[in-house]
Amino acid sequence: MPALTEYDVVVIGAGVVGCCAARELSRYDLRTVVLEAGLDIACGATRANSGIVHTGYDPEPGTLKAAYNVRGAALFPALQRELAFAYRKNGALVVAFSPDEVATLHELAERAQANGAPAVTVVDQAQLRELEPGVSPQAVAALHVPDSGICDPYGFALALAENAADNGVEFAFDARVASIQATDAGYQVTLADGTQLQARAVVNTAGAYSDEINNMVSARKLRIAPRRGEYHLFKEGVHAFDHTMFPVPTKEGKGILVGTAAFGNQFVGPNAVPQESRADVATTAVGLDQVMDQAARLWPDVAEHTVIANYAGIRATNAETGDFVIGPVEDAPGFFNAACIDSPGLASAPAIGADLASWVAEYLQAAPNPTFDPRRVPAPLLFMMDDQARERLIQEDPRFGSKICGCANVTEGEVVAALHRSIPVLCFEALKWRTGVTMGECQGGRCVPRILAVMAAELGVEPCTIPRRAAGSYLVSHRRCAVEVALPPKPNRVYEKPRSMYRIPGARAAGVFSAYGALCTMARTGYLPGETVLVWGGLDAADECAAELERAGAQVIRVRDGQVLRVDGDLRVEAVVIAAPDGTQTTYACDALIMSDQMLDHVPVRGH
């Protein structure tokens, strides 16, 4: 919780817009705190984001989306120089398959001009295939957007947050806002745990909950219509396009795109599925099939067997107008909104943050921060360094020469360095997103136990207290092994197929292991992976793991065949649904799942 209870400014939400606002507010001599309901920055829409820095050709002219998109995108090159995050201009192509869609391309070109966006051109089929030979032969033309870019959304938010923290902004996590009351001095903000803070000004950047925060103080009510977007991520080495490839947009949105993540992996998505929940990011079989089928229109050679993960995110769409809601709230002096921020929110964020900070500073008559430093020195990541810099680092600290995650080629030194930055690591996924651990093809099947042990030692906590992502999503159970478990022999460059490759729908609950991973977890941490463990699969490793689990004190449910249909549980595994070979479905209550059904023949390593 915050060290102070009285602040000049409270920012609610640490997504990319909140972090932009915090960084801009750190330019002023203000006591500022950012309140985040999750255990890390960028827990909501920012994390499951396509990472595309749109140029502004798509929003309707005259909207806030159009204005902020163009202004925000123009700020990225300078921000990258100051904050050192992954960003580059790779260009985009909006691909048409019919004369009607070609007409829409010309309308988009006119819209770009009206919005003041960088120049775009309509190219014919021959020019399109010259730019991207792998595009569908059915495509007839495209809108070429050369200034479109990609960035790492999490890395961008982290860079902003670290720079803000280094310049005096406080961050409080697991700090969900329960109520806001106007007072003579500003606002009293009460958290779910009862903590109360006083603020002269409040900035609402609460993402999918920004309407609820606004509605606590204003008679002008907002309503967000949440939409879930699902994605497939492909393994490294699968590369179809350099440009970001879009279909022609419809009233439902930009459509299923084929993109490249900032560090190289190809991905497809998202769809746009209306739902009531603002927090449910479980994937569905229907949605994942839809994403793959529609992506094939642009990418005929898309291969499902090369997918290593799927995931989903929530978009905070304005149910009334579809536009952003940004600015001072008329009937709530000192309260400033950045609400209903969906696409192109990432590209717009720098401009939104700058305006929010400017309005707050004017309202509070704030003086400049005399010690503000716009530059940030990032944590060391070896794959971004040249050979000499790597060798220097290894000589200074040998842990940088000790690999801890083979697929992603991450060392123990990088993990340790990430644990001791200005924004704390409070959950495993914070470390994952900051270093790249577990993001390779085995998806952490072999390295999680060792990383967990390093985290526990460096942070001075027990492994059973480290959550995967949110409070309650513990990676291991709170029960110690009844006997000491020996570290199993390291497998020969093969590994068990991870859950993510099975394309099993559901939330990404903690408590899913490979047999090798479960044995390593017990050996390295001394804790059971779960108290009631379902061991599924026909490999010998599964039988060996089941026997060791029973010896260590776990209750084991052994299922050798069938198909895992669904994993239930938002935080930890609560149940697993398995279809037997005869089609009979059985739901097994458990708090951990061991999957050991198929071995893959190699582990590709991310090169330098």
Side-chain angles (χ1 to χ4, degrees):
M1 288 298 100
L4 297 174
T5 57
E6 294 187 5
Y7 289 89
D8 295 311
V9 190
V10 164
V11 178
I12 302 173
V16 68
V17 176
C19 290
C20 276
R23 196 255 184 168
E24 291 300 313
L25 283 165
S26 72
R27 296 178 182 273
Y28 298 96
D29 187 14
L30 294 167
R31 291 172 300 169
T32 300
V33 64
V34 180
L35 304 178
E36 169 53 47
L39 295 181
D40 191 20
I41 56 114
C43 283
T46 299
R47 183 165 303 188
N49 186 290
S50 301
I52 298 161
V53 182
H54 297 286
T55 62
Y57 67 84
D58 182 62
E60 183 178 343
T63 60
L64 290 178
K65 285 186 175 183
Y68 278 103
N69 187 170
V70 174
R71 281 180 53 206
L75 296 173
F76 269 82
L79 285 169
Q80 188 209 30
R81 289 191 294 272
E82 292 179 343
L83 300 176
F85 60 94
Y87 161 76
R88 66 185 176 88
K89 290 185 179 182
N90 66 318
L93 289 164
V94 184
V95 181
F97 290 84
S98 69
D100 286 345
E101 290 189 340
V102 174
T104 302
L105 298 183
H106 288 283
E107 292 173 6
L108 290 174
E110 292 173 1
R111 186 175 286 191
Q113 186 174 12
N115 289 340
V120 299
T121 56
V122 176
V123 297
D124 62 21
Q125 187 180 52
Q127 292 169 311
L128 168 60
R129 294 196 66 79
E130 187 175 336
L131 289 167
E132 289 293 356
V135 71
S136 168
Q138 310 304 317
V140 296
L143 184 74
H144 184 209
V145 189
D147 286 282
S148 181
I150 54 173
C151 81
D152 170 15
Y154 180 90
F156 179 39
L158 178 65
L160 292 158
E162 286 189 343
N163 188 242
D166 291 342
N167 281 299
V169 174
E170 293 182 34
F171 284 76
F173 297 98
D174 197 15
R176 184 175 298 277
V177 172
S179 66
I180 306 173
Q181 297 289 331
T183 67
D184 291 342
Y187 293 92
Q188 178 179 287
V189 180
T190 303
L191 305 185
D193 67 358
T195 300
Q196 293 185 334
L197 297 86
Q198 300 293 327
R200 296 167 63 201
V202 172
V203 176
N204 172 22
T205 59
Y209 299 90
S210 56
D211 58 342
E212 294 183 359
I213 298 298
N214 170 85
N215 296 348
M216 290 178 183
V217 301
S218 176
R220 183 198 169 197
K221 303 304 180 185
L222 301 177
R223 184 169 69 88
I224 281 173
R227 293 194 296 171
R228 183 182 69 251
E230 294 161 289
Y231 294 84
H232 289 288
L233 181 71
F234 296 83
K235 66 182 182 181
E236 190 168 355
V238 174
H239 184 76
F241 305 108
D242 293 320
H243 294 76
T244 304
M245 307 293 285
F246 293 94
V248 172
T250 68
K251 62 180 181 180
E252 301 300 323
K254 295 181 176 69
I256 306 297
L257 62 94
V258 182
T260 304
F263 294 117
N265 293 70
Q266 206 93 70
F267 66 89
V268 296
N271 53 3
V273 183
Q275 64 180 35
E276 292 298 319
S277 172
R278 299 159 189 256
D280 182 7
V281 291
T283 56
T284 65
V286 171
L288 293 173
D289 284 343
Q290 177 194 30
V291 169
M292 190 65 73
D293 290 345
Q294 292 189 23
R297 190 176 184 223
L298 289 167
W299 182 12
D301 296 332
V302 61
E304 186 172 334
H305 72 275
T306 60
V307 171
I308 60 170
N310 53 68
Y311 56 96
I314 301 295
R315 278 169 276 177
T317 301
N318 188 329
E320 307 300 333
T321 68
D323 201 6
F324 297 159
V325 177
I326 298 171
V329 177
E330 290 182 4
D331 60 346
F335 190 95
F336 302 86
N337 265 332
C340 307
I341 307 295
D342 57 359
S343 182
L346 175 68
S348 304
I352 296 172
D355 278 358
L356 289 169
S358 177
W359 292 325
V360 170
E362 182 179 4
Y363 177 76
L364 298 179
Q365 297 184 323
N369 176 2
T371 62
F372 174 76
D373 184 353
R375 297 197 173 272
R376 166 220 182 217
V377 178
L381 294 176
L382 267 66
F383 82 97
M384 298 182 70
M385 297 179 177
D386 61 34
D387 291 341
Q388 288 185 336
R390 275 188 226 111
E391 288 304 317
R392 252 192 330 268
L393 203 56
I394 292 169
Q395 288 178 4
E396 293 171 4
D397 185 343
R399 290 178 296 184
F400 283 98
S402 176
K403 196 175 295 184
I404 200 169
C405 176
C407 299
N409 211 14
V410 179
T411 67
E412 183 178 347
E414 292 167 278
V415 167
V416 171
L419 291 171
H420 301 291
R421 303 279 293 178
S422 52
I423 301 297
V425 172
L426 303 177
C427 59
F428 189 91
E429 287 211 350
L431 187 63
K432 166 185 172 179
W433 287 95
R434 296 178 201 198
T435 64
V437 290
T438 78
M439 285 189 172
E441 190 166 348
C442 87
Q443 293 287 290
R446 308 203 302 179
C447 60
V448 166
R450 185 179 169 197
I451 298 166
L452 190 59
V454 170
M455 284 184 71
E458 286 292 322
L459 299 177
V461 299
E462 288 295 321
C464 64
T465 66
I466 298 175
R468 177 181 176 181
R469 180 172 181 179
S473 62
Y474 299 112
L475 287 162
V476 297
S477 78
H478 283 62
R479 179 176 292 183
R480 287 188 174 274
C481 296
V483 297
E484 186 175 345
V485 176
L487 193 68
K490 187 175 181 180
N492 211 1
R493 286 190 61 80
V494 293
Y495 64 99
E496 293 154 287
K497 186 176 179 179
R499 176 219 165 134
S500 57
M501 285 190 181
Y502 287 96
R503 220 181 75 182
I504 300 167
R508 294 298 172 264
V512 180
F513 301 81
S514 66
Y516 176 78
L519 290 170
C520 287
T521 296
M522 291 189 285
R524 290 190 181 279
T525 70
Y527 286 87
L528 292 170
E531 296 186 30
T532 302
V533 185
L534 172 62
V535 180
W536 171 79
L539 297 179
D540 290 344
D543 288 328
E544 295 166 7
C545 184
E548 197 68 5
L549 282 163
E550 288 182 335
R551 195 175 76 87
Q555 180 181 345
V556 176
I557 304 167
R558 184 73 178 96
V559 179
R560 288 180 169 79
D561 51 18
Q563 178 184 0
V564 178
L565 296 182
R566 193 176 71 248
V567 178
D568 294 334
D570 291 332
L571 300 175
R572 271 289 288 195
V573 172
E574 297 175 4
V576 177
V577 182
I578 294 182
D582 64 2
T584 305
Q585 294 185 19
T586 304
T587 300
Y588 298 92
C590 57
D591 65 344
L593 168 64
I594 310 297
M595 302 183 72
S596 187
D597 184 62
Q598 183 178 345
M599 301 295 284
L600 299 184
D601 60 1
H602 72 292
V603 179
V605 176
R606 177 175 68 185
H608 291 309

